[in-house]
Amino acid sequence: GHGGRDRRCGTMGPVLLAEFRRVLRKRGFSTSVDDDGIGQVDGPNHANVGLISHIGGHKYAGNVIIYLPSNFASSSSANSLAGKGLWYGRIEPKHVEGLVEETFVRGRVIEDHFRGGIGIDGQIYRL
């Protein structure tokens, strides 16, 4: 999310960070830092959102890594992606709302952006 290696990361990273925080808050999650700068505590309605370093292959669309804890539930039912880390590529701000809806709420992978994943048991996921 910084511009040290690729200036585009420093451009798109903060925009995606802000959009993820906005969408997650709208869904009832607290995020890593509220608007007033106060950090939150981990819990079932909390999402840690942060920036990662340059990993390439994206131009002005970001890479997003999502880890859903093994006890993560969508509404009142278990999420089928709980316990998995998912890597999405070519994510733009316009994709964030749909990504949160499909991955967090419905427990589905967005195939068009999926680059791979790993389960808590070490199993590798590919399409």
Side-chain angles (χ1 to χ4, degrees), residues 20 66 88 91 95-104 110:
F20 268 100
I66 296 173
Y88 288 116
I91 301 297
H95 300 121
V96 172
E97 190 123 14
L99 190 148
V100 168
E101 172 68 25
E102 290 299 309
T103 303
F104 285 74
I110 300 172

Side-chain angles (χ1 to χ4, degrees), residues 45 71-79 104-105:
N45 293 320
N71 62 349
F72 184 76
S74 306
S75 302
S76 60
S77 61
N79 185 303
F104 285 74
V105 177

Side-chain angles (χ1 to χ4, degrees), residues 31-111:
T31 57
S32 299
V33 178
D34 282 342
D35 291 331
D36 59 6
I38 297 172
Q40 297 293 311
V41 180
D42 286 343
N45 293 320
H46 177 75
N48 289 308
V49 182
L51 297 173
I52 60 173
S53 295
H54 175 85
I55 55 176
H58 58 79
K59 296 217 176 187
Y60 278 104
N63 287 291
V64 173
I65 299 170
I66 296 173
Y67 172 71
L68 298 173
S70 57
N71 62 349
F72 184 76
S74 306
S75 302
S76 60
S77 61
N79 185 303
S80 62
L81 299 175
K84 295 177 177 58
L86 307 170
W87 179 11
Y88 288 116
R90 300 179 331 272
I91 301 297
E92 299 175 34
K94 67 182 181 184
H95 300 121
V96 172
E97 190 123 14
L99 190 148
V100 168
E101 172 68 25
E102 290 299 309
T103 303
F104 285 74
V105 177
R106 297 184 182 187
R108 293 190 258 186
V109 170
I110 300 172
E111 293 183 17

